[in-house]
Amino acid sequence: IGVIPTVCPYLLPDIAPALRRRLPGLTIEWSEDRTHALVRQVASGALDAAVVALESDLGDLETAVLGRDPFVIAAAPGNRLVQSSSPARVDALDGAEVLLLEDGHCLRDQALAVCARAGAGEPGLRATSLSTLVQMVGASGTRVTLLPAMALPVENRRGQIRVRPFVKNGPGRTLVLAWRRGSAVKIAAARVAEVVARALTHKIRPLRAHRPPRSGGAAAD
């Protein structure tokens, strides 16, 4: 099973043990790669399935929804966009400089769509990973980024940035398990998707009630 880089380190530690408990007779090998490569490998049969975002171009692959991963605004603690704890509308990003991942990441394309709606711009510097994005905005007093909520417990574990959620039904991505249409692994894939969806629900839900520590660290969705 393939997994995109903006999901793999945040979800795998939760779902791998859950899958071993719930499906002890199933042996899974994981492979991390970007969406276009995973889709190609699933379509050719090199992979049985892949965890990807539904908003990406998945061709003719069949999918099972795992859950929604909302985006949050992330910035250095002094940035004006994260001073309020109330959920933000997309147009709050109007005129902001938003740091994004480099080309090839599906999360970049999704974030670019949000920026286009909001009238936000992108500086020339691009990051290779979410960890780099966090470091970049933490060192900048004016620039912000968009992070998927599932990454926050790892990427903001030291509370070096502050984050602000969007309003209900705001920007985010829908994670799915995708496999070849008509594949013999369909039944097994559907069972895997069930377990992953349950683990994802438990992972995302607590973030909605999270508040910044007294030291002025993160405020999460």
Side-chain angles (χ1 to χ4, degrees), residues 11-208:
L11 189 59
L12 221 57
D14 294 310
I15 64 173
L19 285 166
R20 285 195 295 269
R21 288 194 305 270
R22 296 290 304 279
L23 303 172
L26 190 65
T27 300
I28 300 177
E29 293 182 2
W30 301 96
S31 175
E32 183 184 60
D33 213 330
R34 298 186 185 185
T35 301
H36 63 89
L38 294 181
V39 169
R40 185 174 63 248
Q41 291 173 67
V42 173
S44 69
L47 287 175
D48 290 316
V51 177
V52 290
L54 184 61
E55 292 78 10
S56 305
D57 181 4
L58 304 182
D60 191 41
L61 299 184
E62 193 169 352
T63 61
V65 173
L66 304 176
R68 181 166 171 77
D69 186 19
F71 296 160
V72 297
I73 302 172
N79 191 290
R80 63 174 183 82
L81 283 177
V82 292
Q83 293 305 297
S84 173
S85 60
S86 62
R89 294 166 55 91
V90 171
D91 58 14
L93 292 171
D94 186 20
E97 282 196 319
V98 183
L99 293 168
L100 302 175
L101 292 171
E102 64 183 2
D103 291 334
H105 287 278
C106 62
L107 186 59
R108 170 181 169 78
D109 298 331
Q110 294 149 21
L112 273 175
V114 177
C115 292
R117 286 169 52 198
E122 180 195 8
L125 189 60
R126 297 175 183 177
T128 58
S129 67
L130 294 183
S131 296
T132 305
L133 273 183
V134 169
Q135 294 301 318
M136 288 163 61
V137 297
S140 170
T142 57
R143 292 169 175 172
V144 303
T145 192
L146 299 179
L147 293 178
M150 72 155 51
L152 294 176
V154 172
E155 300 301 348
N156 198 32
R157 57 191 177 277
R158 296 187 301 275
Q160 69 272 37
I161 57 170
R162 184 169 293 173
V163 302
R164 182 181 177 189
F166 284 100
V167 294
K168 187 178 180 181
N169 299 323
R173 58 183 178 176
T174 303
L175 299 179
V176 298
L177 184 67
W179 60 86
R180 292 185 311 285
R181 199 169 293 277
S183 169
V185 305
K186 178 176 181 176
I187 294 176
R191 295 183 67 191
V192 168
E194 256 181 62
V195 177
V196 176
R198 187 174 294 111
L200 183 61
T201 297
H202 291 308
K203 185 174 184 64
I204 296 295
R205 184 179 297 160
L207 294 173
R208 294 172 184 152

